DNA sequence: AGCACGCCGACT
DNA sequence: GTCGGCGTGCTC
């Protein structure tokens, strides 16, 4: 029996079913240094391989076996506060992940240590000792002798040339000739991309390249595009030529191409110090909302409020006023925005008002920039954090306010494990800090509005647009009528006329096409065979940029077949109204209009959508056609017409949130119209103008929409009247996956015998919406439940039991509570 | 997951 | 008689 003071460590790479804080001993000098939130290096598992971990606390250990010791402490100061450690423990319990995975969310990206094993000679060998060794042992010792520093395992392996058996190592270790150590490589490196270009020695003319001997047709294709591009990433070249990276590697080997590293550099925001900003003038309604929110904040108790303001009502001004107050109390603020609205203009608003007190955190920053911002927050230099989802973990001290703008956006829910929702994290942090959580939206999620209606959240409304602007007039265009009248284009006569008028008046128009249904896919005109991705169970999408078929799920790409793979017919048909086709149609109908297109093709590289938007604003384009991205957050005063090309596809998605999403998207895009001094108009094209949701959207009547929706949710039992827990199974073999799901299902049924009073409905197992992605089959079990501790306890114990089954090696399981995107 | 221990077949 | 196959069980 041993009793000792120990460090409790969350260890990286443990799996859910054996995850817990592990106890380690600290030698005296480490004990002095150790604090919760520091990273440590610990031996783990049978082989005592070095792993990194994070100290989450201290304890004492009484148990059967002897404890291991912490090898070293990596950080001089804690990276994670006690508050965040508590948060991580909560996330583990909520999201069914390991403690380390939860803690990792709180570390700045790019702090990844690489731990490896390295070997060195323990001493200079005497001649006698040396001759006693076997031939292979001598070779290994020679290699180590030649190196001035210890050699990492893979490097040693490479130099040795053949397989190094563990026996060889352990025999040398036993003889005390070599020593094994853990090496820590602190990879704080800048993120960079690998670029390729033609070797500088290569004459850069096409003739010469064509003359290069022994070149395959695929390599030729690559070279041709390299002549065109100059330099590009491997990924880009693969995209445009359809070759695999192997072809490019071959060319590098032949020394025709060379690769080099280019730092990813995000044009940083101009941290302009406080420029003269005018005093915010609030309208009467804004002022009222602001005062009420301020009172909630001043009460100094944890609380949450919904700021429900129609598009253009000036929610941001209310934020700014509140932030000023919180700042005066020396407290910090987190402002979360959806990725798409984190434009330089939006960030600039914060900089110009609050100067370098602002830190920005989002995925577009380079690793180094993110680390800098993280440190500025951690050390208290920046007390306002503006960022996307993960910024909710910002290391702010003394939080006073968290704002979540466009709170209904699905990007606030992590699509990877741990599948947390930023709103839940924000609630937790506000509770711990007695802070105010402010959710803002023009179309709040049903769950949030329900909470506000039932008094759980405060509710402030901004029912009118700021200034003189009014909400746009909305008209529905019946596409069935259009079709009967002989109009087979995607543009109704009504909308076409409106656009013409708008151009005449020198105003701008925005046309929205939601992606679904506007993708072009390819099928056989004879037998109807659709060209599917070989790895996924969905049709391939035609991309006009490279003239190839692409799979949006696994990245597979292929040339357009000349004949049907099924019946060999040459009658290949392009279906769906592709984005390009729409542009073409519009140019044909309106030959004089200046049209700009914004979609996957034109925004292939990051932040190009910002450039497109600036272009649209400054260069007098008449029409902007685009996907969802044109709907969010743009503020162009000269836009007075918005057209929704087809509202139908997203209405009939097999998802209980389809109506909510459609309403939100339509409201947002309609809200782009008439934000300046001129009246706005909007046209919704649909085949079913009588649809009740479209009517609510056209009338911009959130309350009517909400009342209808909440009724349906209650009758059909959906959130907020229950929680949804989805359990996913995925694996290579479909029968294995289905079988695993069935086994889990029966385990669940059996367990529920002990909890007969717990409310639960089990649906499935059923195939996931897309059965196969990347050659992995996917099934799911859906539970309608009450997400409480007892329920999560059951799921947790079932997961642990499942991991002990043999099949868990072949079929992965993951749990998502209240998913937003149905996978 | 990743590693060591342990029990059976193929082989010098 | 030994090398190495992978089934099984554990991780402070």
């Amino acid at each position: 029996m041993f009793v000792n003071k120990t460090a409790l460590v969350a260890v990286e790479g443990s799996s859910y079913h054996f995850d817990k804080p592990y106890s380690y001993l600290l030698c005296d000098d480490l004990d002095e240094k150790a604090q919760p939130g520091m990273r440590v290096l610990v031996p783990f598992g049978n082989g005592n391989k070095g792993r990194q971990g994070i100290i989450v606390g201290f304890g004492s250990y009484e148990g059967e076996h002897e404890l291991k010791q912490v090898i070293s402490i990596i950080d001089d100061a804690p990276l994670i506060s006690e508050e965040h450690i508590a948060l991580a423990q909560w996330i583990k319990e909520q999201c069914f992940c390991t403690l380390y995975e939860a803690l990792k969310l709180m570390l700045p990206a790019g702090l990844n240590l690489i731990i490896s094993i390295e070997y060195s000679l323990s001493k200079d060998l005497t001649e006698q000792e040396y001759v006693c060794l076997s031939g292979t042992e001598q070779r290994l010792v020679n290699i180590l002798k030649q190196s001035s520093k210890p050699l990492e395992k893979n490097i040693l392996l490479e130099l040795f040339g053949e397989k190094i058996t563990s026996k060889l190592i352990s025999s040398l270790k036993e003889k005390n000739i070599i020593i094994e150590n853990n090496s820590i490589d602190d990879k704080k490196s800048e993120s960079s991309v690998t670029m390729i270009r033609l070797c500088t020695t290569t004459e850069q003319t096409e003739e010469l390249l064509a003359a290069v001997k022994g070149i395959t047709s695929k390599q030729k294709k690559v070279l041709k595009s390299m002549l065109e591009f100059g330099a590009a990433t491997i990924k880009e070249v693969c995209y445009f030529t359809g070759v695999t990276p192997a072809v490019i590697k071959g060319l590098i080997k032949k020394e025709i191409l060379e690769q080099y590293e280019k730092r990813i550099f995000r044009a940083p925001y101009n941290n302009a110090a406080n420029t003269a900003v005018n005093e915010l003038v609030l309208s009467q309604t804004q002022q009222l909302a602001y005062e009420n929110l301020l009172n909630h904040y001043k009460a100094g108790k944890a609380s949450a409020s919904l700021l429900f303001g129609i598009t253009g009502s000036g929610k941001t001004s209310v934020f700014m006023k509140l932030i000023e107050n919180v700042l005066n109390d020396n407290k910090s603020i987190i402002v979360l925005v959806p990725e798409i609205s984190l434009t330089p203009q939006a960030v600039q608003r914060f900089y110009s008002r609050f100067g370098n007190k602002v830190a920005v955190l989002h995925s577009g920053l380079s690793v180094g920039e993110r680390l800098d911002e993280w440190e500025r927050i951690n050390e208290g230099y920046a007390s306002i954090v503006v960022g996307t989802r993960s910024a909710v973990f910002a290391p702010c001290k003394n939080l006073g306010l968290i704002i979540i703008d466009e709170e209904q956006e699905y990007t606030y829910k992590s699509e990877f494990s741990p599948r947390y929702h930023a709103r839940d994290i924000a609630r937790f942090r506000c509770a711990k800090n007695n802070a105010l959580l402010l959710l803002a939206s023009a179309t709040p999620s049903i769950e949030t509005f329900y909470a506000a209606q039932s008094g759980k959240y405060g509710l402030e409304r901004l029912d009118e647009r700021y200034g003189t602007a009014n909400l746009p007039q909305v008209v529905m265009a019946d596409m069935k009528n259009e079709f009967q009248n002989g109009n087979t284009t995607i543009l109704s006569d009504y909308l076409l006329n409106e656009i013409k008028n708008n151009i005449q008046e020198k105003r701008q128009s925005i046309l929205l096409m939601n992606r679904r249904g506007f993708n072009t896919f390819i099928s056989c005109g004879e037998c109807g065979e659709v060209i599917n991705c070989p790895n996924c169970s969905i049709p391939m999408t035609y991309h006009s940029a490279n003239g190839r078929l692409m799979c949006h799920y696994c990245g597979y790409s292929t040339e357009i077949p000349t004949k049907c793979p099924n019946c060999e017919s040459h009658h290949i048909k392009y279906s769906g109204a592709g984005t390009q086709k729409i542009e073409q149609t519009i140019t044909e109908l309106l030959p004089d209009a200046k049209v700009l297109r914004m979609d996957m093709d034109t925004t292939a590289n990051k932040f190009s959508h910002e450039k497109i938007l600036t272009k649209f604003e400054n260069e007098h384009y008449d029409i902007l056609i685009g996907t969802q991205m044109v709907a969010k957050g743009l503020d162009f005063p000269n836009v007075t017409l918005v057209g929704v090309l087809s509202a139908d596809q997203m209405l009939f998605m097999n998802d209980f949130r389809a109506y909510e999403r459609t309403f939100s998207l339509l409201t947002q895009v309609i809200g782009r119209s008439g934000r300046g001094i001129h009246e706005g108009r909007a046209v919704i094209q649909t085949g079913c103008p009588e649809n009740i949701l479209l009517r609510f959207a056209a009338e911009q009547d959130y309350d009517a929409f909400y009342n209808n929706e909440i009724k349906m949710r209650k009758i059909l039992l959906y959130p907020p009247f229950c929680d949804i827990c989805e359990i996913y199974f995925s694996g290579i073999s479909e029968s294995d996956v289905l079988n695993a799901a069935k086994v889990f299902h029966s385990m669940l049924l059996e367990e529920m015998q002990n909890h007969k009073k717990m409310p639960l409905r089990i649906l499935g197992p059923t195939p996931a919406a897309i059965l196969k992605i990347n050659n992995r089959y996917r099934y799911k079990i859906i539970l309608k439940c009450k997400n409480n501790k007892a329920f999560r306890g059951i799921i947790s114990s079932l997961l642990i039991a499942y991991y002990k089954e043999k099949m868990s090696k072949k079929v992965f399981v993951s749990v998502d509570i209240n998913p937003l995107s149905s996978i």
Side-chain angles (χ1 to χ4, degrees):
Chain A
M1 195 78 124
F2 299 90
V3 183
N4 274 304
K5 182 196 167 188
T6 60
L8 300 170
V9 178
V11 183
E12 179 178 32
S14 64
S15 121
Y16 183 72
H17 68 291
F18 60 83
D19 182 54
K20 60 175 173 193
Y22 285 90
S23 303
Y24 284 91
L25 295 175
L26 290 155
C27 64
D28 288 344
D29 52 330
L30 290 186
D31 185 28
E32 236 168 74
K33 205 181 149 190
Q35 288 177 50
M38 287 175 170
R39 290 175 299 169
V40 288
L41 184 62
V42 292
F44 194 76
N46 257 326
N48 280 330
K49 258 188 86 174
R51 291 216 191 155
Q52 64 172 317
I54 293 169
I55 302 179
V56 294
F58 299 101
S60 58
Y61 177 78
E62 293 178 42
E64 295 307 307
H65 52 267
E66 211 164 336
L67 293 177
K68 296 177 185 175
Q69 281 209 351
V70 172
I71 298 169
S72 63
I73 296 178
I74 295 162
D75 304 301
D76 294 325
L79 290 177
I80 297 178
S81 69
E82 302 264 7
E83 180 203 331
H84 281 77
I85 291 172
L87 175 57
Q89 270 149 353
W90 183 77
I91 290 173
K92 173 184 161 74
E93 206 255 314
Q94 295 283 326
C95 301
F96 309 100
C97 63
T98 67
L99 188 53
Y100 188 87
E101 284 172 320
L103 286 164
K104 209 176 159 189
L105 297 171
M106 293 151 205
L107 294 175
L111 261 197
N112 278 334
L113 298 177
I114 302 200
I115 293 168
S116 50
I117 297 171
E118 58 185 25
Y119 298 98
S120 51
L121 289 178
S122 58
K123 54 184 175 185
D124 285 329
L125 289 183
T126 62
E127 191 67 26
Q128 204 184 2
E129 281 169 318
Y130 185 73
V131 291
C132 287
L133 301 175
S134 74
T136 40
E137 285 176 336
Q138 288 183 356
R139 267 186 58 216
L140 198 99
V141 167
N142 286 342
I143 292 170
L144 286 173
K145 211 187 251 173
Q146 272 160 32
S147 165
S148 52
K149 54 181 198 308
L151 285 178
E152 207 195 286
K153 203 172 180 179
N154 335 356
I155 297 172
L156 185 62
L157 210 86
E158 216 172 275
L159 293 171
F160 194 69
E162 57 178 282
K163 218 180 137 196
I164 301 177
T165 57
S166 53
K167 247 201 172 149
L168 179 59
I169 295 282
S170 53
S171 122
L172 283 168
K173 252 165 57 184
E174 252 167 56
K175 290 184 209 157
N176 226 347
I177 293 169
I178 61 168
I179 40 178
E180 189 181 280
N181 247 320
N182 288 294
S183 84
I184 305 175
D185 189 5
D186 207 345
K187 268 252 155 72
K188 273 190 195 172
S189 65
E190 279 297 317
S191 71
S192 61
V193 275
T194 307
M195 304 282 292
I196 49 171
R197 63 186 166 210
L198 292 163
C199 278
T200 39
T201 52
T202 317
E203 287 281 349
Q204 298 205 4
T205 71
E206 200 165 334
E207 292 77 33
L208 269 176
L209 284 174
V212 176
K213 281 202 181 118
I215 225 165
T216 65
S217 64
K218 281 188 176 178
Q219 290 177 331
K220 214 168 182 174
K221 228 170 166 183
V222 172
L223 290 180
K224 265 204 171 137
S225 37
M226 285 315 296
L227 279 168
E228 197 184 312
F229 300 155
T233 65
I234 293 181
K235 215 174 132 193
E236 283 166 343
V237 176
C238 292
Y239 174 83
F240 283 104
T241 59
V243 304
T244 55
V247 179
I248 293 164
K249 293 266 160 65
L251 282 166
I252 293 170
K253 220 172 186 176
K254 283 190 177 155
E255 298 190 335
I256 298 171
L257 294 181
E258 62 184 5
Q259 56 179 0
Y260 63 100
E261 298 291 308
K262 186 181 134 194
R263 247 191 76 185
I264 297 176
F265 205 70
R266 162 96 165 92
Y269 307 102
N270 292 328
N271 297 36
N274 310 33
T275 46
V277 278
N278 28 4
E279 179 72 12
L280 282 168
V281 182
L282 298 187
S283 70
Q284 224 174 354
T285 39
Q286 282 174 325
Q287 181 68 25
L288 185 65
Y290 158 67
E291 280 168 16
N292 287 340
L293 291 169
L294 187 62
N295 286 338
H296 282 297
Y297 162 71
K298 291 270 186 206
K301 277 191 306 197
S303 65
S305 277
L306 169 63
L307 177 60
F308 170 41
I310 60 171
T311 55
S313 59
K315 294 182 283 285
T316 316
S317 303
V318 178
F319 299 164
M320 294 291 182
K321 263 281 221 252
L322 271 174
I323 291 172
E324 278 175 6
N325 270 283
V326 179
L327 217 49
N328 281 339
D329 287 352
N330 269 328
K331 291 194 175 186
S332 48
I333 298 111
I334 296 176
V335 183
L336 297 184
V337 295
E339 180 86 48
I340 201 88
S341 49
L342 200 58
T343 58
Q345 296 94 302
V347 173
Q348 198 55 46
R349 283 190 75 169
F350 285 92
Y351 277 132
S352 54
R353 189 159 290 275
F354 303 110
N356 55 14
K357 278 193 156 54
V358 178
V360 180
L361 284 178
H362 70 106
S363 57
L365 301 175
S366 78
V367 174
E369 285 168 327
R370 263 188 281 180
L371 196 61
D372 289 350
E373 293 294 75
W374 191 89
E375 275 164 4
R376 283 179 57 224
I377 302 162
N378 197 33
E379 284 152 30
Y381 295 114
S383 38
I384 304 170
V385 179
V386 183
T388 49
R389 181 178 66 225
S390 59
V392 77
F393 296 109
C396 302
K397 313 261 147 65
N398 203 8
L399 262 178
L401 173 67
I402 299 180
I403 296 172
I404 304 184
D405 194 19
E406 304 291 351
E407 67 86 32
Q408 82 288 357
E409 283 290 329
Y410 66 96
T411 49
Y412 288 127
K413 169 106 188 187
S414 170
E415 66 259 64
F416 320 107
S417 176
R419 296 172 191 268
Y420 66 92
H421 195 299
R423 197 198 291 137
D424 300 326
I425 307 297
R427 285 230 307 266
F428 183 96
R429 295 197 68 182
C430 285
K432 292 277 164 180
N433 287 280
N434 288 323
L436 172 65
L437 170 61
L438 179 57
L439 306 170
S441 177
T443 54
S445 62
I446 296 291
E447 288 91 330
T448 297
F449 202 74
Y450 179 76
Q453 291 270 293
S454 53
K456 197 177 155 198
Y457 297 165
L459 175 60
E460 309 303 329
R461 300 183 71 127
L462 301 174
D463 284 329
E464 56 195 51
R465 283 196 155 183
Y466 184 79
T468 53
N470 285 317
L471 279 178
Q473 288 291 316
V474 185
V475 175
M476 270 202 263
D478 187 345
M479 294 309 274
K480 270 187 308 206
N481 275 346
E482 294 277 333
F483 192 76
Q484 277 161 13
N485 294 338
N487 180 1
T488 53
T489 68
I490 38 107
L491 218 55
S492 61
D493 287 341
Y494 185 83
L495 180 54
L496 183 64
N497 264 325
E498 289 285 307
I499 298 174
K500 279 182 186 161
N501 290 341
N502 224 31
I503 294 174
Q504 265 178 11
E505 290 173 24
K506 300 241 185 303
R507 311 265 164 75
Q508 293 173 298
S509 310
I510 290 178
L511 299 182
L512 170 80
M513 45 184 189
N514 40 311
R515 245 195 43 220
R516 205 181 277 259
F518 284 97
N519 283 337
T520 308
F521 59 95
I522 286 187
S523 59
C524 171
E526 307 263 331
C527 70
E529 172 99 347
V530 175
I531 311 289
N532 275 318
C533 172
N535 310 319
C536 311
S537 51
I538 48 139
M540 306 272 294
T541 305
Y542 171 70
H543 273 221
S544 50
N546 58 0
R548 297 175 63 84
L549 292 177
M550 309 277 301
C551 172
H552 289 177
Y553 288 85
C554 71
Y556 176 83
S557 104
T558 179
E559 263 170 50
I560 294 162
T562 51
K563 59 184 180 189
C564 168
N566 185 38
C567 71
E568 310 220 324
S569 156
H570 287 268
H571 187 189
I572 298 292
K573 208 172 77 183
Y574 290 58
S575 320
T579 56
Q580 263 218 326
K581 209 163 123 201
I582 292 165
E583 190 183 13
Q584 203 186 322
T585 311
I586 288 174
T587 335
E588 274 164 23
L589 295 170
L590 302 159
D592 297 326
K594 264 184 97 180
V595 181
L596 199 60
R597 182 162 59 93
M598 182 154 102
D599 59 20
M600 294 258 290
D601 282 357
T602 56
T603 55
N605 75 53
K606 235 178 185 173
F607 300 106
S608 58
H609 78 262
E610 283 167 23
K611 281 184 210 147
I612 294 181
L613 294 179
T614 325
K615 223 170 147 184
F616 178 63
E617 189 173 21
N618 299 337
E619 295 179 22
H620 314 293
Y621 276 88
D622 299 308
I623 301 169
L624 176 66
I625 318 173
T627 51
Q628 324 261 354
M629 40 184 115
V630 299
K632 320 262 171 178
L634 314 182
D635 197 350
F636 298 132
N638 200 34
V639 171
T640 51
L641 176 64
V642 161
V644 179
L645 292 179
S646 172
D648 297 347
Q649 289 92 355
M650 44 182 325
L651 223 42
F652 303 115
M653 286 189 307
N654 183 24
D655 179 344
F656 75 95
R657 281 189 233 269
Y659 269 29
E660 180 179 339
R661 286 217 191 94
T662 310
F663 185 86
S664 177
L665 180 64
L666 291 179
T667 305
Q668 285 183 51
V669 73
I670 291 168
R672 298 309 115 212
S673 178
R675 293 172 83 89
I677 46 171
H678 306 293
E679 287 284 301
R681 288 157 294 144
V683 179
I684 300 175
Q685 299 192 150
T686 171
C688 38
E690 67 288 346
N691 179 288
I692 192 161
L693 179 107
L694 295 182
R695 293 235 307 275
F696 294 145
E699 285 156 22
Q700 309 262 297
D701 189 347
Y702 179 85
D703 292 277
F705 153 73
Y706 170 80
N707 287 330
N708 179 67
E709 188 69 17
I710 198 82
K711 237 182 270 166
M712 296 309 289
R713 298 273 181 105
K714 189 158 196 176
I715 292 167
L716 299 172
L717 191 66
Y718 278 111
F721 301 101
C722 71
D723 293 294
I724 307 264
C725 172
E726 294 199 0
I727 305 164
Y728 296 104
F729 301 86
S730 76
I732 304 289
S733 144
E734 184 171 6
S735 57
D736 282 352
V737 175
L738 182 55
N739 186 43
K742 282 180 176 161
V743 168
F744 198 98
H745 184 251
S746 55
M747 282 161 55
L748 177 64
L749 286 181
E750 200 186 311
E751 178 63 23
M752 289 320 291
Q753 291 300 308
N754 309 323
H755 311 272
K756 289 201 168 139
K757 269 185 262 163
M758 184 174 279
L760 187 72
R761 291 193 198 176
I762 308 172
L763 300 141
T766 52
I770 298 165
L771 174 62
K772 186 173 76 164
I773 292 181
N774 236 332
N775 287 317
R776 297 184 69 85
Y777 288 87
R778 301 130 37 85
Y779 277 77
K780 62 184 175 181
I781 297 173
I782 300 174
L783 309 178
K784 287 183 174 178
C785 60
K786 177 98 193 75
N787 176 21
N788 54 26
K789 218 171 182 146
F791 172 75
R792 288 193 300 272
I794 291 169
I795 296 298
S796 174
S797 63
L798 286 173
L799 280 174
I800 290 167
Y802 173 80
Y803 275 114
K804 288 180 181 154
E805 298 277 335
K806 223 190 204 159
M807 69 185 82
S808 69
K809 299 241 149 76
K810 279 180 166 177
V811 181
F812 288 110
V813 64
S814 71
V815 176
D816 191 350
I817 292 198
N818 290 326
L820 285 190
S821 50
S822 197
I823 322 176

